[in-house]
Amino acid sequence: MFNQTITAVLICAVCASCQQSPKDEYATPERVYTIEIYDSLQLQHSGMLLLSDYEDTKQMYLLYDYFGGDIIIANSKSEIIHQFNYKGDGKIGYNEIRGLSFLGANKIIAYGAYRYYIYEINGNFVASEDIFDKKLLVNPLYDFKAPHFYAPDSTLWLLVRGSTEDYGSPLHASFANAVNWISIYQPATQKIQTGVTIPSGSIYQKYYYYHVIPQIALNKEDGQVAILYPAEARAYVYNLPALDLIQSVTLSSEYFIQPKGLPFSNDEDRMRINAFQEAQRAARYTALQYLGNGMFMAYYRAGLPEERIVKDEKTYVETGLETYRNGYIQIFNEKGLYCQDIKLPAPTSGLHIATSMEHVVLAAETPEETAISKYYLARLTPVNN
């Protein structure tokens, strides 16, 4: 296990009443937090493991080998307690998995392209059902996240993201009002209860941005869901199951610089190139988690310096430019940012899961292709001035 403790303290200016523009002034709050790595999760497994979910009562982690097809359940001692693989047996096509999640403490659900599959945690098959609306994919293939579940009155409801398939292109102004990014779906009746599009006040209603797919976090305590679009320093909070917009929370800070939106035009190729370059210069949200007690945790990567900006995504990936973007954590509640933004310390590179201030799971920096998959366990603690 990892015994060394790493502590990082960063001070930045945030204010619950600050405006959305990154050029506005910021008031400096007194509340400061440190992030401390206190342990690690190290799993002996060859393959590309994706950490998908955490079950609090039994302290279990749910992971998926994207290429090998293994579903793995591990405990906090880095012990693999269950591992199974149904790839090729007809029950599920693992190359089509959109997400995995615990369904209580004794079952898991695998969300495929057009069906979902329920298993006991030891791998025993329980059931599978078709997804009513094939446009309601949990995520595109490249954005692997757990599906979100909401169960009022002991009835299983799924909170899912909408697909852009057959809805047109984000390069057109009509796109913002065409896609239901979240919907309430009841498998028992195969009915979509309700869905919501991008809010009218969002920057996505007026301009084109390269990154569109939002992050979602479920607050079951208060019956709420928060949505965070990647280029916008504002979170939108809805009630459940009606999905009425009840609040928007400004998250502007010193290090989160919004990209410049591009006016919609007929020159789609030029729009993509320019928007991609603007996305590199600016910050981008890539994770959102619920911590309990009305608190959310957001993770974003800051922009690149001008000399590192490239024209195409292939060059961006091949040169590893993502690793040059500093990562920051934000904590917020209904009043706004709760504390100053916290820069992730080395050797971490991203946020996987957070269930409380005491339990934050961070990605290892530039993971190597070894027989060990590693994740860091961290906590946030207040600093008394």
Side-chain angles (χ1 to χ4, degrees):
M1 308 296 286
F2 187 78
N3 296 317
Q4 183 182 6
T5 298
I6 304 175
T7 304
V9 182
L10 288 93
I11 299 179
C12 62
V14 295
C15 173
S17 62
C18 59
Q19 300 301 308
Q20 186 172 329
S21 171
K23 296 182 180 180
D24 291 333
E25 296 180 357
Y26 306 103
T28 302
E30 296 181 357
R31 190 178 289 117
V32 180
Y33 272 72
T34 66
I35 183 167
E36 174 188 331
I37 297 175
Y38 62 86
D39 208 338
S40 69
L41 185 68
Q42 301 187 48
L43 302 177
Q44 296 281 345
H45 180 83
S46 297
M48 181 182 174
L49 283 186
L50 303 173
L51 180 57
S52 180
D53 201 8
Y54 176 75
E55 203 289 311
D56 188 61
T57 59
K58 293 185 178 181
Q59 297 184 339
M60 299 183 299
Y61 296 91
L62 179 59
L63 305 98
Y64 170 61
D65 185 342
Y66 187 77
F67 295 111
D70 287 342
I71 290 178
I72 292 174
I73 299 172
N75 60 22
S76 57
K77 298 179 181 179
S78 297
E79 298 169 336
I80 295 177
I81 54 179
H82 296 292
Q83 179 174 340
F84 56 95
N85 187 320
Y86 287 131
K87 187 175 182 179
D89 72 351
K91 288 187 175 69
I92 186 171
Y94 278 112
N95 61 329
E96 295 183 347
I97 280 186
R98 267 37 176 197
L100 290 172
S101 180
F102 282 109
L103 195 57
N106 299 310
K107 295 178 182 178
I108 66 170
I109 183 166
Y111 208 93
Y114 304 119
R115 294 176 66 83
Y116 66 86
Y117 303 78
I118 299 175
Y119 300 92
E120 296 176 349
I121 59 172
N122 61 7
N124 290 335
F125 177 74
V126 176
S128 66
E129 293 288 344
D130 286 336
I131 299 170
F132 170 70
D133 187 344
K134 290 181 171 55
K135 297 185 181 68
L136 288 173
L137 310 182
V138 174
N139 298 289
L141 276 173
Y142 56 82
D143 186 19
F144 187 93
K145 294 287 194 305
H148 303 262
F149 299 94
Y150 176 56
D153 302 322
S154 300
T155 303
L156 176 65
W157 295 58
L158 303 182
L159 181 62
V160 300
R161 301 182 190 177
S163 167
T164 60
E165 183 180 358
D166 297 332
Y167 284 130
S169 168
L171 294 164
H172 301 288
S174 59
F175 177 81
N177 295 318
V179 179
N180 283 327
W181 283 112
I182 56 171
S183 302
I184 297 294
Y185 170 63
Q186 187 179 23
T189 61
Q190 294 192 337
K191 297 293 184 182
I192 303 298
Q193 303 299 306
T194 187
V196 295
T197 60
I198 294 175
S200 59
S202 171
I203 60 175
Y204 282 86
Q205 285 280 353
K206 298 180 179 179
Y207 299 103
Y208 169 65
Y209 297 88
Y210 190 80
H211 298 286
V212 182
I213 299 171
Q215 300 297 322
I216 296 174
L218 188 62
N219 172 4
K220 292 184 180 180
E221 300 170 1
D222 302 314
Q224 297 176 352
V225 59
I227 301 180
L228 194 57
Y229 293 92
E232 185 172 20
R234 182 176 294 273
Y236 297 92
V237 182
Y238 299 81
N239 63 6
L240 291 168
L243 289 181
D244 297 319
L245 180 63
I246 58 177
Q247 194 167 21
S248 65
V249 182
T250 300
L251 303 179
S252 296
S253 69
E254 180 181 357
Y255 301 107
F256 191 97
I257 306 300
Q258 288 184 170
K260 295 179 181 178
L262 298 183
F264 295 99
S265 73
N266 294 326
D267 190 350
E268 296 187 359
D269 290 338
R270 176 55 55 184
M271 283 178 63
R272 288 191 184 95
I273 293 173
N274 290 344
F276 179 61
Q277 291 178 334
E278 287 298 331
Q280 295 173 70
R281 295 184 179 98
R284 182 177 81 253
Y285 286 108
T286 62
L288 180 63
Q289 299 283 305
Y290 181 65
L291 303 178
N293 298 317
M295 294 287 189
F296 292 89
M297 177 182 288
Y299 171 76
Y300 69 86
R301 285 186 177 272
L304 289 170
E306 189 64 30
E307 62 269 18
R308 293 194 180 275
I309 304 301
V310 296
K311 290 185 177 181
D312 61 276
E313 192 163 2
K314 180 180 179 182
T315 303
Y316 182 87
V317 173
E318 290 178 347
T319 54
L321 288 176
E322 189 73 11
T323 61
Y324 292 93
R325 306 177 75 140
N326 292 325
Y328 293 87
I329 282 175
Q330 290 180 320
I331 310 297
F332 68 93
N333 57 19
E334 62 180 6
K335 297 179 180 180
L337 285 169
Y338 181 73
C339 65
Q340 301 166 11
D341 291 12
I342 307 168
K343 184 179 178 181
L344 254 63
T348 65
S349 62
L351 172 65
H352 277 294
I353 290 172
T355 59
S356 70
M357 294 283 200
E358 298 291 324
H359 180 243
V360 181
V361 185
L362 303 174
E365 193 173 59
T366 57
E368 300 177 357
E369 295 182 3
T370 65
I372 298 178
S373 295
K374 189 173 184 178
Y375 307 89
Y376 292 104
L377 305 182
R379 64 171 66 95
L380 299 181
T381 56
V383 174
N384 297 321
N385 296 330

